[in-house]
Amino acid sequence: MLLHSQSPQPRHPLASYAYPAVISGTEKPVPLIGTSFDVQIDAGLAVVTATRRFRNVEEESIEVTLTFPVPVHAVLFQLSARIGERRLEAIAQAKVAARDTYERAIDQGRSAVLHEEVLRGIHQLSVAHVPPGQEIAVEASWAMPLTAMPGGAKLHIPVTVGEIYGASPLDDSDDFFHQASVQEAELSVTCRDGTVALTGGVLQEGRARLRLDAPIVLEVSGWQPRALHGIAADGRGVEVEISRQPAGDLPLDAAILVDRSGSMAEEASGLLQGAEAIQAPPTKHGVVVAGLLAAASSTLSGDRIDLWEFDHTAGKVPGRDLAAAARRLSPPGGGTEIGQAIEAVLASRPTRDVLLITDGKSHAIDVQAAARSGRRFHVVLIGEDSLEAHVGYLAALTGGQIFVAAGLEASSHIRQALAAMRLPHLPATQVTDPPSEVEAMIGGMRVKATWHAGSVAEPGRWSRAVAAFAASLALPRLPEPKAAALAEAEGLVTHLTSLVLVDEQGEAQSGLPAQRRVGLMVPRTAPLAYSGLAHSISALHACCLLPLPGVHAEQMPAHAERIPAYSSDLAALCGRIDWAAAPEALRRGDLSPLPADIALEVEAAAEEPEIIALAAELGVPPAVLVLALMAQSVSQTNRAAARFARAVLGGATAASGSGGQPDAGREAALRAAAAALGL
């Protein structure tokens, strides 16, 4: 749930913007009013069900979107929504088809929910046409194995991320977004065998309430491996067994690549306890150096390890052994050119393994190119605001392993990564269709899935979770068409499929829903410029393109750099229009949501004779036609603009998701009008 912060009387006149739970830069209330996580753990497998409640207190229909991190090895297999007294279940469709289903529902005024994987490790939830004064609760479940730890195992649930450097591959509307408001969640945990502890908190009868500015980390001890049973979509029985990774005896042949960028100077963790909490919190880089020194004691005489470090450049660190080289690591500072660093390592001695030690907060990596090198990549992520998406996907593609260290446990994870590199490199081989057996190593665990005729499992969520997780192991080993068919049959969210539902029985809403993006909570370890008051003030300065005292240019929110300079060229102005904020007002001809200079340009363009004539033929105000033509010109890269163009121009446009055939004559007239406006 989002709460108003109980803060002292603000001293700065802009400080009040940091505390209310409203959409940043507006007075619109945040529509996310409640969040809960239910975790069930059995024999090394965790099933996490997140329930999010959205309420629309505005006077018109809205669309709510939320982009959030998930573990790379998690597989989302169930999505449902409660609308009034009705519970609706989502179905899996090919990714493009699911998006088209969702967009058609919006055009028809139907409430709909779409869950997509926008990048491996990054998901987006979209809820369209939440009616005024009503509430929609969305429930989604995902499954993954626990990560091995000395004496037990753990489950790491990311809920926010830090600032990510580099150009994002995602559109602005799909990218991570932070809000200066407090978010809390209810947590409930059950474990069939073993004991569960909440890192940094206390579970009382399996329950806790926590803030969503740090990951949820559960430590599990005393659990025992055994077979788990499920029912596949084709009716066959599925058996999954998770156990600790076996010991390997191969000599190490590896390059260790250590991130020393500026973000590694940040605090390593807020999860320090006891005497450690009294001392100054260590930096991420300091934790890495200590972890490498501790792990060096497990190396053997036949091991060959090259130690590298990188910021905006990469270099090999000299030293007679790992410990000596670790002591010569440079302090953090500089950029995060991880892609160039990987290229440098790959161009050097051809090692069997590459271990990345980083906070993962960079978009600058070509995952596919690195995977084609044939090396096996492993990742140790440092910091509770780290991101698995890019580096974690690289590890998953190459058969490597991922370990997430919130802070001081980095040394044990580095040791586990070294142990994983002593195992033979077994590239993923193709499996039969339908699959019969598959095995993998994930997070220090050996996981094995087998399919057989008949089933001993009882139908239900747990059975579905077991079958879904087994299918996720087989997907990367199948040709893409067969992988897509299996993912759709099992109801999975993947890079090939999404889950979507449409409320066909509810009352249809009129008009276009205004988009309300729900941000993640600012990480508690974030620098001052990204939390609380400074976060809000920076957003206000960014909107006005004013310099922000004490914040360097590279720290400014990404959207501040994307606002083009003023231009009388209509095509140049399209990118400055927020097509999602108030689309229905624009469709009615109300230009007040537009920047004043753009409104003047639209009004001037609306006086063109071609526009006046075509607007009369279409039955829309000339200014609205101008906006629709502008929206159509950017519809391929802006979904909200495409919706606006469809709503105004109807069957005359072939904009994405229209679901209808354009009228050839009308389309020609629209092209001519757009050309007259320079669009």
Side-chain angles (χ1 to χ4, degrees), residues 21 160 200 217 256 280 289 295 302 316 336 338 363 374 514 543 561 600 635 648:
T160 189
V217 181
I256 300 178
V289 174
K316 188 175 178 181
T336 315
I338 189 170
H363 289 300
C543 292
E561 303 170 1
L600 290 174
S635 62
V648 175

Side-chain angles (χ1 to χ4, degrees), residues 575-598:
R576 288 180 53 202
I577 297 176
D578 187 346
W579 299 99
E584 192 57 25
L586 295 178
R587 195 170 76 147
R588 292 194 299 262
D590 178 2
L591 303 186
S592 62
L594 298 176
D597 59 321
I598 297 180

Side-chain angles (χ1 to χ4, degrees), residues 147 469 561 632:
T147 298
F469 176 64
E561 303 170 1
Q632 188 179 33

Side-chain angles (χ1 to χ4, degrees), residues 429-444:
T429 57
Q430 289 197 349
V431 299
T432 59
D433 178 40
S436 59
E437 182 175 298
V438 63
E439 186 174 341
M441 300 291 177
I442 301 175

Side-chain angles (χ1 to χ4, degrees), residues 602-603 605-608 611-613 615-616 620-629:
V602 170
E603 290 174 341
E607 296 178 1
E608 293 292 328
I611 296 299
I612 293 174
V620 299
V624 175
L625 175 58
V626 172
L627 285 171
L629 293 172

Side-chain angles (χ1 to χ4, degrees), residues 157-160 210-216 271 384 521-524:
I157 304 174
V159 294
T160 189
L210 37 78
R211 288 165 58 104
L212 297 181
D213 57 354
I216 302 170
L271 303 179
E384 61 184 45
M521 191 174 174
V522 177
R524 64 181 172 189

